[in-house]
Amino acid sequence: MRRVFPATDMYTNLISSALFAGGAAGLISGLLQLMFVQPVLLHAELYEVGTLVHFGAGTSASANPVVLGPELLRDGLSVLFNILIYCGYAMLLVAAMALAEGFGTVTNGRNGIVWGVAGFVTVQLLPAFSLAPEVPGVASGDVYDRQVWWVLTVVSASTALWFIAFSRRRIAWVAAVALLLAPHLFGAPEPDYFTGTAPPEVAALFAARSLGSGLFAWSVLGCVAGLFWARAENRSATGPGLI
């Protein structure tokens, strides 16, 4: 038997799986951001505007200042944007899962976590190796140059991980190592000099929590995407429309 509209079913499964996974991961990412990342960000902003001064006038500011409470509009938009961003990531991730089926890979919720971790490594961890998350008020390179470097790093990293996962040729593995190293050997755009108003401890905590939240959200994204993709594929194989 064969499907009447197999291509239509595939696109429907891809979009539905991505929307469910992106919505779940984006919501979790937004909540983690509100709970753990945003307080550190607001703390850093107090140094940026001069409310707190690091080692100023012979005194040190408290490591646990009182920051502004929740704001419905700001926090709601933050969660919404997280959901939209992760829906976009989910589209790419599920498309990669569908493409990997041509190499004999069976996707489910369990190995979907591996897909999610690979996505986190590609989009966040490897770029952060040379271009770490930054708090407000620090010097940074040109925004356009940083965006271009980030995109090229993500493309090279995703290609390298694909070679490692699905190629058995040694030359592909050598190319993968070269692709992983190239952006960092070339170097991310840096400012002419470093400066910043926030304490380094705040900056380090912000980077750590940003990456930690990203790892958790990407793991959820991969797990849910793999789970819904497998279920959608099963429904397509056993549902109506077979001739």
Side-chain angles (χ1 to χ4, degrees), residues 1-235:
M1 293 187 297
R2 62 182 177 85
R3 293 293 300 172
V4 178
F5 299 112
T8 303
D9 290 341
M10 183 187 69
Y11 292 133
T12 301
N13 294 343
L14 189 153
I15 294 174
S16 61
S17 300
L19 290 178
F20 278 114
L27 179 60
I28 291 176
S29 174
L31 294 177
L32 289 174
Q33 179 175 325
L34 295 180
M35 294 173 60
F36 299 105
V37 180
Q38 183 167 285
V40 183
L41 185 65
L42 295 177
H43 187 182
E45 287 181 349
L46 295 178
Y47 289 95
E48 183 184 23
V49 299
T51 303
L52 297 178
V53 180
H54 182 44
F55 293 143
T59 62
S60 297
S62 172
N64 299 288
V66 177
V67 296
L68 297 177
E71 294 183 11
L72 183 60
L73 179 60
R74 178 194 64 194
D75 297 343
L77 289 175
S78 178
V79 173
L80 177 61
F81 289 149
N82 271 276
I83 291 175
L84 293 176
I85 289 171
Y86 274 92
C87 282
Y89 286 151
M91 290 286 186
L92 297 175
L93 191 64
V94 176
M97 291 177 176
L99 186 60
E101 287 190 349
F103 294 85
T105 300
V106 178
T107 304
N108 52 45
R110 179 176 297 179
N111 60 28
I113 297 177
V114 179
W115 281 96
V117 172
F120 163 74
V121 170
T122 300
V123 174
Q124 289 187 254
L125 185 61
L126 285 177
F129 187 76
S130 293
L131 198 61
E134 297 174 347
V135 294
V138 300
S140 59
D142 181 75
V143 173
Y144 177 78
D145 293 341
R146 286 154 59 92
Q147 291 174 337
V148 171
W149 184 89
W150 182 85
V151 170
L152 293 177
T153 302
V154 170
V155 171
S156 64
S158 58
T159 304
L161 293 182
W162 187 271
F163 284 165
I164 293 172
F166 299 107
S167 179
R168 298 182 179 180
R169 301 177 62 183
R170 293 182 179 179
I171 186 63
W173 294 351
V174 173
V177 173
L179 287 170
L180 290 174
L181 292 177
H184 307 286
L185 293 177
F186 179 78
E190 298 286 358
D192 295 331
Y193 56 89
F194 292 106
T195 184
T197 54
E201 294 85 355
V202 174
L205 182 61
F206 176 76
R209 288 191 173 182
S210 296
L211 293 175
S213 299
L215 174 59
F216 190 83
W218 271 99
S219 298
V220 172
L221 179 65
C223 180
V224 177
L227 182 63
F228 275 95
W229 175 257
R231 289 183 177 181
E233 287 292 281
N234 290 335
R235 287 197 301 269

